[in-house]
Amino acid sequence: MTLRIPLLLTAEIVPFAICTERLAVLLVQQATTWRLPGGPVGGEEDLDAAARRHLAEQTGLGEIYLEQLYTFGEPNRDSGQRAVAVAYYALVRAGFSLADAVPAIAETRWVAVDDMPVLALDHAAIVTLARRRLAAKLAYSTIALQLMPECFTLSQLQAVHEIILGELLDKRNFRKRILALDCIEATGEMARQYGHRPARLFRAKRPGQVDFIK
Amino acid sequence: MTLRIPLLLTAEIVPFAICTERLAVLLVQQATTWRLPGGPVGGEEDLDAAARRHLAEQTGLGEIYLEQLYTFGEPNRDSGQRAVAVAYYALVRAGFSLADAVPAIAETRWVAVDDMPVLALDHAAIVTLARRRLAAKLAYSTIALQLMPECFTLSQLQAVHEIILGELLDKRNFRKRILALDCIEATGEMARQYGHRPARLFRAKRPGQVDFIK
DNA sequence: TTGCAATAGTGTAAAAACAACACTAATATA
DNA sequence: TATATTAGTGTTGTTTTTACACTATTGCAA
């Protein structure tokens, strides 16, 4: 029972954001291949902390929503060595700025989930699972708010839902449903867009929190 | 990146069944304390396989529904050593027989979830999370069928739902809903109970499979 | 043999949730 | 001042969900 097996335990993160109207993942380049940000869990480090640390070190992203996804431990997932990966996904608010954060120590790029290059190890499977989970959670939680900037319009929120679900939603029904959840409130400000009627701005009532609904 | 940290990786399982009208967990006695079945993951062993192996070795349970729940890795969850636990939950069909299976190598006991004794490490938290997940899954999957014997009556299935949810359900509405899912079919046989009208027996249409619904 | 106790089995109506649908409002620019 | 563009708003029909009560079949006991 107290046997310590030699293995590599890593945390891997799927950082999602909406980029140019598409759901995108932040990838890290290692030599010639792309992989998810992540790396070994420290000897005295919490799993979540390891995920946050690697994400910050490799991409500059901090202070974002993070949720454990699944643990991958097939003996052959990393050729040669025994590696177990605790996978997470993270949600990055639109309007985030990598530049604001700690400089990344790796080459990174946002890539649309539908245009993923070949990824290291089983990272493609991790992305696929994360994407399914995110889409499923839209239906029964307020998780989409974690992808929004502090202030946003209802049209922007609807676009985020549509992009993740891959289908168009009815504007009136969407607004009715979201407002009934009582998870956002009008700021009183208007978005100063150009060429058309300005939109009311909203903010999350409980910004850090993801509520279950229904 | 290739650092191998010394740590104990275990698989821990929460085996659920309905015992005497209550949701129960199969516990294993170790010295004077109770714990979940489980133990170290082998050096070349898949995580799921490790969970199944320990469950079989320690309790005699095999061939049952198993699903990964969450990975617990707080540095101090096991005093002294660094231990990471990949937690699973398992569903045991009513009418199962431990005696049929391989003899268990440990003292085991089914304990109602509402009467749990003090458990080793963070196993109480694992049970709590597993219980929440199971209850949530009732709403959007056919997972309850994994707790049923091959043939069962609708009243029995309803009782299982009621026990897990902790609330009574309307008989007619329950039947309508379950039958509409098209996940069970009548066997044509009747349950030979005594003292009242016999009930029709049903079986799962796809016994091994858990379908998502709605 | 008849009555009682116990669980099985069945339908309808009201309420709530969801889905479909089209026009007016406010702004920037040409 | 006309046009293009997006914001914003209610109603109606359909579907889903909920609430609800009686008859049927059996074993057992009187």
Side-chain angles (χ1 to χ4, degrees), chain B residues 42-86:
Chain B
E44 288 299 321
E45 190 177 35
D46 190 51
L47 301 176
D48 293 17
R52 284 190 193 280
R53 174 174 61 86
H54 287 295
L55 190 61
E57 285 176 2
Q58 293 168 24
T59 71
L61 290 172
E63 293 281 327
I64 61 177
Y65 181 81
L66 189 74
E67 183 179 316
Q68 190 182 303
L69 176 66
Y70 196 79
T71 298
F72 294 80
E74 265 193 280
N76 299 322
R77 58 178 291 278
D78 194 346
S79 48
Q81 75 191 318
R82 182 66 202 270
V84 171
V86 183

Tab-separated table of all heavy atoms in Angstrom, chain B residues 42-86:
chain	number	residue	atom	x	y	z
B	42	GLY	N	-0.832	0.251	-10.515
B	42	GLY	CA	0.382	-0.448	-10.920
B	42	GLY	C	1.189	0.330	-11.948
B	42	GLY	O	0.645	1.188	-12.646
B	43	GLY	N	2.431	0.010	-12.041
B	43	GLY	CA	3.357	0.759	-12.899
B	43	GLY	C	2.983	0.723	-14.368
B	43	GLY	O	3.264	1.658	-15.109
B	44	GLU	N	2.319	-0.324	-14.785
B	44	GLU	CA	1.928	-0.411	-16.200
B	44	GLU	C	0.431	-0.616	-16.317
B	44	GLU	O	-0.055	-1.244	-17.252
B	44	GLU	CB	2.660	-1.574	-16.877
B	44	GLU	CG	4.142	-1.331	-17.102
B	44	GLU	CD	4.371	-0.119	-18.009
B	44	GLU	OE1	3.606	0.060	-18.977
B	44	GLU	OE2	5.313	0.644	-17.719
B	45	GLU	N	-0.273	-0.100	-15.320
B	45	GLU	CA	-1.696	-0.406	-15.244
B	45	GLU	C	-2.538	0.825	-15.575
B	45	GLU	O	-2.243	1.930	-15.124
B	45	GLU	CB	-2.005	-0.877	-13.818
B	45	GLU	CG	-3.387	-1.453	-13.611
B	45	GLU	CD	-3.570	-1.962	-12.187
B	45	GLU	OE1	-3.012	-1.354	-11.239
B	45	GLU	OE2	-4.254	-2.969	-12.013
B	46	ASP	N	-3.572	0.613	-16.329
B	46	ASP	CA	-4.520	1.677	-16.627
B	46	ASP	C	-5.267	2.056	-15.347
B	46	ASP	O	-5.477	1.227	-14.463
B	46	ASP	CB	-5.514	1.185	-17.672
B	46	ASP	CG	-6.373	2.313	-18.198
B	46	ASP	OD1	-5.803	3.343	-18.597
B	46	ASP	OD2	-7.596	2.172	-18.189
B	47	LEU	N	-5.690	3.308	-15.252
B	47	LEU	CA	-6.360	3.765	-14.032
B	47	LEU	C	-7.657	2.993	-13.787
B	47	LEU	O	-7.931	2.539	-12.680
B	47	LEU	CB	-6.660	5.262	-14.129
B	47	LEU	CG	-5.446	6.182	-14.324
B	47	LEU	CD1	-5.894	7.624	-14.502
B	47	LEU	CD2	-4.487	6.070	-13.155
B	48	ASP	N	-8.453	2.859	-14.836
B	48	ASP	CA	-9.711	2.128	-14.695
B	48	ASP	C	-9.440	0.685	-14.277
B	48	ASP	O	-10.152	0.111	-13.450
B	48	ASP	CB	-10.479	2.100	-16.023
B	48	ASP	CG	-10.961	3.469	-16.443
B	48	ASP	OD1	-10.447	4.469	-15.908
B	48	ASP	OD2	-11.853	3.534	-17.311
B	49	ALA	N	-8.402	0.104	-14.873
B	49	ALA	CA	-8.074	-1.289	-14.566
B	49	ALA	C	-7.660	-1.426	-13.114
B	49	ALA	O	-8.024	-2.400	-12.442
B	49	ALA	CB	-6.962	-1.778	-15.485
B	50	ALA	N	-6.917	-0.460	-12.626
B	50	ALA	CA	-6.505	-0.501	-11.221
B	50	ALA	C	-7.727	-0.436	-10.321
B	50	ALA	O	-7.827	-1.160	-9.321
B	50	ALA	CB	-5.549	0.645	-10.918
B	51	ALA	N	-8.673	0.428	-10.676
B	51	ALA	CA	-9.888	0.540	-9.868
B	51	ALA	C	-10.637	-0.785	-9.854
B	51	ALA	O	-11.038	-1.280	-8.801
B	51	ALA	CB	-10.775	1.662	-10.411
B	52	ARG	N	-10.797	-1.385	-11.004
B	52	ARG	CA	-11.512	-2.671	-11.074
B	52	ARG	C	-10.768	-3.763	-10.305
B	52	ARG	O	-11.372	-4.600	-9.635
B	52	ARG	CB	-11.668	-3.117	-12.534
B	52	ARG	CG	-12.743	-2.343	-13.260
B	52	ARG	CD	-13.052	-2.952	-14.629
B	52	ARG	NE	-13.848	-2.012	-15.392
B	52	ARG	CZ	-15.162	-1.853	-15.237
B	52	ARG	NH1	-15.811	-2.582	-14.347
B	52	ARG	NH2	-15.808	-0.963	-15.960
B	53	ARG	N	-9.459	-3.769	-10.428
B	53	ARG	CA	-8.678	-4.804	-9.760
B	53	ARG	C	-8.821	-4.703	-8.246
B	53	ARG	O	-9.124	-5.694	-7.572
B	53	ARG	CB	-7.199	-4.664	-10.155
B	53	ARG	CG	-6.271	-5.621	-9.402
B	53	ARG	CD	-4.846	-5.555	-9.921
B	53	ARG	NE	-4.244	-4.232	-9.774
B	53	ARG	CZ	-3.632	-3.806	-8.672
B	53	ARG	NH1	-3.564	-4.571	-7.605
B	53	ARG	NH2	-3.095	-2.593	-8.637
B	54	HIS	N	-8.624	-3.501	-7.707
B	54	HIS	CA	-8.718	-3.367	-6.252
B	54	HIS	C	-10.116	-3.688	-5.761
B	54	HIS	O	-10.288	-4.313	-4.719
B	54	HIS	CB	-8.312	-1.958	-5.824
B	54	HIS	CG	-6.846	-1.715	-5.917
B	54	HIS	ND1	-5.930	-2.382	-5.133
B	54	HIS	CD2	-6.113	-0.896	-6.711
B	54	HIS	CE1	-4.710	-1.979	-5.442
B	54	HIS	NE2	-4.782	-1.081	-6.401
B	55	LEU	N	-11.104	-3.271	-6.529
B	55	LEU	CA	-12.475	-3.543	-6.124
B	55	LEU	C	-12.696	-5.052	-6.071
B	55	LEU	O	-13.259	-5.585	-5.102
B	55	LEU	CB	-13.430	-2.883	-7.121
B	55	LEU	CG	-14.890	-2.872	-6.727
B	55	LEU	CD1	-15.088	-2.094	-5.435
B	55	LEU	CD2	-15.732	-2.250	-7.849
B	56	ALA	N	-12.234	-5.752	-7.080
B	56	ALA	CA	-12.417	-7.207	-7.114
B	56	ALA	C	-11.633	-7.869	-5.988
B	56	ALA	O	-12.154	-8.739	-5.280
B	56	ALA	CB	-11.975	-7.750	-8.465
B	57	GLU	N	-10.408	-7.465	-5.809
B	57	GLU	CA	-9.568	-8.107	-4.795
B	57	GLU	C	-10.099	-7.887	-3.389
B	57	GLU	O	-10.074	-8.784	-2.547
B	57	GLU	CB	-8.142	-7.555	-4.865
B	57	GLU	CG	-7.342	-8.070	-6.049
B	57	GLU	CD	-5.964	-7.440	-6.139
B	57	GLU	OE1	-5.607	-6.614	-5.251
B	57	GLU	OE2	-5.236	-7.764	-7.090
B	58	GLN	N	-10.566	-6.670	-3.136
B	58	GLN	CA	-10.916	-6.341	-1.763
B	58	GLN	C	-12.371	-6.649	-1.427
B	58	GLN	O	-12.724	-6.782	-0.256
B	58	GLN	CB	-10.618	-4.859	-1.494
B	58	GLN	CG	-9.124	-4.579	-1.528
B	58	GLN	CD	-8.797	-3.099	-1.550
B	58	GLN	OE1	-9.594	-2.274	-1.120
B	58	GLN	NE2	-7.623	-2.763	-2.059
B	59	THR	N	-13.204	-6.727	-2.442
B	59	THR	CA	-14.631	-6.911	-2.147
B	59	THR	C	-15.262	-8.058	-2.911
B	59	THR	O	-16.381	-8.452	-2.593
B	59	THR	CB	-15.420	-5.644	-2.517
B	59	THR	OG1	-15.473	-5.540	-3.941
B	59	THR	CG2	-14.768	-4.397	-1.946
B	60	GLY	N	-14.586	-8.564	-3.943
B	60	GLY	CA	-15.188	-9.609	-4.752
B	60	GLY	C	-16.092	-9.097	-5.853
B	60	GLY	O	-16.608	-9.863	-6.652
B	61	LEU	N	-16.302	-7.788	-5.915
B	61	LEU	CA	-17.183	-7.233	-6.939
B	61	LEU	C	-16.467	-7.145	-8.284
B	61	LEU	O	-15.337	-6.662	-8.369
B	61	LEU	CB	-17.642	-5.826	-6.549
B	61	LEU	CG	-18.609	-5.701	-5.382
B	61	LEU	CD1	-18.786	-4.240	-5.015
B	61	LEU	CD2	-19.942	-6.328	-5.738
B	62	GLY	N	-17.134	-7.612	-9.315
B	62	GLY	CA	-16.563	-7.497	-10.657
B	62	GLY	C	-17.652	-7.208	-11.645
B	62	GLY	O	-18.833	-7.280	-11.317
B	63	GLU	N	-17.284	-6.856	-12.870
B	63	GLU	CA	-18.270	-6.692	-13.943
B	63	GLU	C	-19.345	-5.681	-13.600
B	63	GLU	O	-20.532	-5.966	-13.750
B	63	GLU	CB	-18.960	-8.033	-14.219
B	63	GLU	CG	-18.067	-9.086	-14.801
B	63	GLU	CD	-17.851	-8.894	-16.291
B	63	GLU	OE1	-18.788	-8.407	-16.957
B	63	GLU	OE2	-16.743	-9.174	-16.773
B	64	ILE	N	-18.959	-4.564	-13.070
B	64	ILE	CA	-19.985	-3.599	-12.711
B	64	ILE	C	-19.684	-2.252	-13.353
B	64	ILE	O	-18.605	-2.018	-13.870
B	64	ILE	CB	-20.090	-3.425	-11.186
B	64	ILE	CG1	-18.765	-2.923	-10.626
B	64	ILE	CG2	-20.507	-4.723	-10.525
B	64	ILE	CD1	-18.837	-2.674	-9.148
B	65	TYR	N	-20.678	-1.394	-13.297
B	65	TYR	CA	-20.530	-0.071	-13.889
B	65	TYR	C	-19.550	0.772	-13.074
B	65	TYR	O	-19.660	0.861	-11.850
B	65	TYR	CB	-21.889	0.633	-13.920
B	65	TYR	CG	-21.831	1.996	-14.530
B	65	TYR	CD1	-21.835	2.166	-15.911
B	65	TYR	CD2	-21.747	3.133	-13.732
B	65	TYR	CE1	-21.768	3.426	-16.474
B	65	TYR	CE2	-21.672	4.394	-14.296
B	65	TYR	CZ	-21.687	4.521	-15.665
B	65	TYR	OH	-21.616	5.777	-16.221
B	66	LEU	N	-18.615	1.390	-13.769
B	66	LEU	CA	-17.564	2.155	-13.101
B	66	LEU	C	-17.357	3.457	-13.859
B	66	LEU	O	-17.298	3.461	-15.083
B	66	LEU	CB	-16.275	1.340	-13.123
B	66	LEU	CG	-15.090	1.843	-12.306
B	66	LEU	CD1	-15.350	1.601	-10.822
B	66	LEU	CD2	-13.825	1.117	-12.727
B	67	GLU	N	-17.242	4.555	-13.125
B	67	GLU	CA	-17.048	5.841	-13.803
B	67	GLU	C	-16.117	6.719	-12.990
B	67	GLU	O	-16.273	6.844	-11.773
B	67	GLU	CB	-18.408	6.532	-13.964
B	67	GLU	CG	-18.328	7.825	-14.717
B	67	GLU	CD	-19.694	8.490	-14.880
B	67	GLU	OE1	-20.668	7.788	-15.199
B	67	GLU	OE2	-19.772	9.712	-14.673
B	68	GLN	N	-15.193	7.348	-13.688
B	68	GLN	CA	-14.255	8.226	-12.990
B	68	GLN	C	-14.985	9.446	-12.458
B	68	GLN	O	-15.862	10.004	-13.126
B	68	GLN	CB	-13.127	8.671	-13.926
B	68	GLN	CG	-12.007	9.385	-13.173
B	68	GLN	CD	-10.889	9.875	-14.079
B	68	GLN	OE1	-10.290	9.086	-14.796
B	68	GLN	NE2	-10.598	11.154	-14.057
B	69	LEU	N	-14.629	9.837	-11.242
B	69	LEU	CA	-15.353	10.887	-10.541
B	69	LEU	C	-14.545	12.172	-10.444
B	69	LEU	O	-14.988	13.237	-10.879
B	69	LEU	CB	-15.652	10.377	-9.126
B	69	LEU	CG	-16.329	11.330	-8.158
B	69	LEU	CD1	-17.736	11.651	-8.623
B	69	LEU	CD2	-16.354	10.716	-6.755
B	70	TYR	N	-13.361	12.090	-9.876
B	70	TYR	CA	-12.566	13.292	-9.620
B	70	TYR	C	-11.217	12.827	-9.104
B	70	TYR	O	-11.118	11.738	-8.542
B	70	TYR	CB	-13.252	14.164	-8.558
B	70	TYR	CG	-12.737	15.581	-8.506
B	70	TYR	CD1	-13.153	16.521	-9.438
B	70	TYR	CD2	-11.813	15.979	-7.529
B	70	TYR	CE1	-12.677	17.812	-9.401
B	70	TYR	CE2	-11.330	17.270	-7.485
B	70	TYR	CZ	-11.783	18.192	-8.429
B	70	TYR	OH	-11.303	19.469	-8.405
B	71	THR	N	-10.227	13.667	-9.263
B	71	THR	CA	-8.901	13.325	-8.746
B	71	THR	C	-8.554	14.247	-7.596
B	71	THR	O	-8.627	15.475	-7.739
B	71	THR	CB	-7.851	13.398	-9.865
B	71	THR	OG1	-8.197	12.437	-10.856
B	71	THR	CG2	-6.452	13.101	-9.326
B	72	PHE	N	-8.224	13.641	-6.480
B	72	PHE	CA	-7.937	14.379	-5.260
B	72	PHE	C	-6.435	14.381	-5.034
B	72	PHE	O	-5.824	13.326	-4.945
B	72	PHE	CB	-8.643	13.721	-4.067
B	72	PHE	CG	-10.134	13.794	-4.157
B	72	PHE	CD1	-10.851	12.907	-4.962
B	72	PHE	CD2	-10.829	14.773	-3.464
B	72	PHE	CE1	-12.236	12.996	-5.056
B	72	PHE	CE2	-12.214	14.867	-3.555
B	72	PHE	CZ	-12.908	13.972	-4.352
B	73	GLY	N	-5.863	15.575	-4.904
B	73	GLY	CA	-4.408	15.624	-4.818
B	73	GLY	C	-3.863	16.652	-3.863
B	73	GLY	O	-2.716	17.074	-4.005
B	74	GLU	N	-4.651	17.070	-2.905
B	74	GLU	CA	-4.112	18.010	-1.916
B	74	GLU	C	-2.849	17.443	-1.297
B	74	GLU	O	-2.831	16.274	-0.917
B	74	GLU	CB	-5.123	18.195	-0.782
B	74	GLU	CG	-6.023	19.375	-0.938
B	74	GLU	CD	-6.743	19.616	0.390
B	74	GLU	OE1	-7.726	18.897	0.634
B	74	GLU	OE2	-6.301	20.496	1.149
B	75	PRO	N	-1.813	18.267	-1.147
B	75	PRO	CA	-0.545	17.736	-0.631
B	75	PRO	C	-0.711	17.047	0.723
B	75	PRO	O	-0.002	16.097	1.012
B	75	PRO	CB	0.334	18.977	-0.521
B	75	PRO	CG	-0.243	19.946	-1.476
B	75	PRO	CD	-1.719	19.680	-1.510
B	76	ASN	N	-1.637	17.513	1.533
B	76	ASN	CA	-1.746	16.956	2.884
B	76	ASN	C	-2.901	15.980	3.063
B	76	ASN	O	-3.293	15.695	4.188
B	76	ASN	CB	-1.907	18.090	3.896
B	76	ASN	CG	-0.708	19.003	3.862
B	76	ASN	OD1	0.421	18.543	3.707
B	76	ASN	ND2	-0.954	20.297	3.965
B	77	ARG	N	-3.431	15.472	1.966
B	77	ARG	CA	-4.602	14.606	2.158
B	77	ARG	C	-4.237	13.299	2.862
B	77	ARG	O	-5.046	12.723	3.575
B	77	ARG	CB	-5.350	14.334	0.848
B	77	ARG	CG	-4.564	13.695	-0.242
B	77	ARG	CD	-5.452	13.453	-1.461
B	77	ARG	NE	-6.449	12.434	-1.205
B	77	ARG	CZ	-6.209	11.134	-1.293
B	77	ARG	NH1	-5.014	10.690	-1.612
B	77	ARG	NH2	-7.166	10.257	-1.061
B	78	ASP	N	-3.002	12.841	2.663
B	78	ASP	CA	-2.523	11.697	3.442
B	78	ASP	C	-1.345	12.205	4.263
B	78	ASP	O	-0.356	12.661	3.702
B	78	ASP	CB	-2.079	10.572	2.508
B	78	ASP	CG	-1.898	9.258	3.241
B	78	ASP	OD1	-1.853	9.285	4.491
B	78	ASP	OD2	-1.803	8.223	2.565
B	79	SER	N	-1.478	12.132	5.549
B	79	SER	CA	-0.456	12.747	6.402
B	79	SER	C	0.904	12.117	6.123
B	79	SER	O	1.063	10.916	6.162
B	79	SER	CB	-0.826	12.564	7.870
B	79	SER	OG	-1.169	11.223	8.093
B	80	GLY	N	1.854	12.973	5.836
B	80	GLY	CA	3.212	12.472	5.658
B	80	GLY	C	3.583	12.243	4.212
B	80	GLY	O	4.459	12.912	3.683
B	81	GLN	N	2.859	11.346	3.530
B	81	GLN	CA	3.290	11.060	2.171
B	81	GLN	C	2.422	11.791	1.149
B	81	GLN	O	1.284	12.141	1.423
B	81	GLN	CB	3.243	9.566	1.914
B	81	GLN	CG	1.829	9.023	1.712
B	81	GLN	CD	1.798	7.522	1.727
B	81	GLN	OE1	2.662	6.875	1.147
B	81	GLN	NE2	0.819	6.960	2.414
B	82	ARG	N	2.986	11.987	-0.001
B	82	ARG	CA	2.230	12.610	-1.068
B	82	ARG	C	1.415	11.543	-1.773
B	82	ARG	O	1.976	10.630	-2.389
B	82	ARG	CB	3.180	13.281	-2.081
B	82	ARG	CG	2.450	13.997	-3.199
B	82	ARG	CD	1.676	15.172	-2.647
B	82	ARG	NE	0.585	15.628	-3.475
B	82	ARG	CZ	0.683	16.550	-4.429
B	82	ARG	NH1	1.842	17.100	-4.686
B	82	ARG	NH2	-0.369	16.920	-5.102
B	83	ALA	N	0.117	11.655	-1.676
B	83	ALA	CA	-0.760	10.648	-2.274
B	83	ALA	C	-1.798	11.335	-3.134
B	83	ALA	O	-2.468	12.264	-2.691
B	83	ALA	CB	-1.434	9.823	-1.189
B	84	VAL	N	-1.930	10.868	-4.345
B	84	VAL	CA	-2.955	11.385	-5.254
B	84	VAL	C	-3.934	10.253	-5.529
B	84	VAL	O	-3.516	9.141	-5.851
B	84	VAL	CB	-2.313	11.894	-6.560
B	84	VAL	CG1	-3.382	12.231	-7.584
B	84	VAL	CG2	-1.422	13.097	-6.267
B	85	ALA	N	-5.212	10.564	-5.372
B	85	ALA	CA	-6.221	9.528	-5.545
B	85	ALA	C	-7.115	9.857	-6.734
B	85	ALA	O	-7.713	10.930	-6.780
B	85	ALA	CB	-7.070	9.410	-4.289
B	86	VAL	N	-7.195	8.934	-7.666
B	86	VAL	CA	-8.186	9.052	-8.735
B	86	VAL	C	-9.423	8.315	-8.243
B	86	VAL	O	-9.391	7.095	-8.065
B	86	VAL	CB	-7.666	8.437	-10.046
B	86	VAL	CG1	-8.682	8.632	-11.164
B	86	VAL	CG2	-6.322	9.040	-10.421
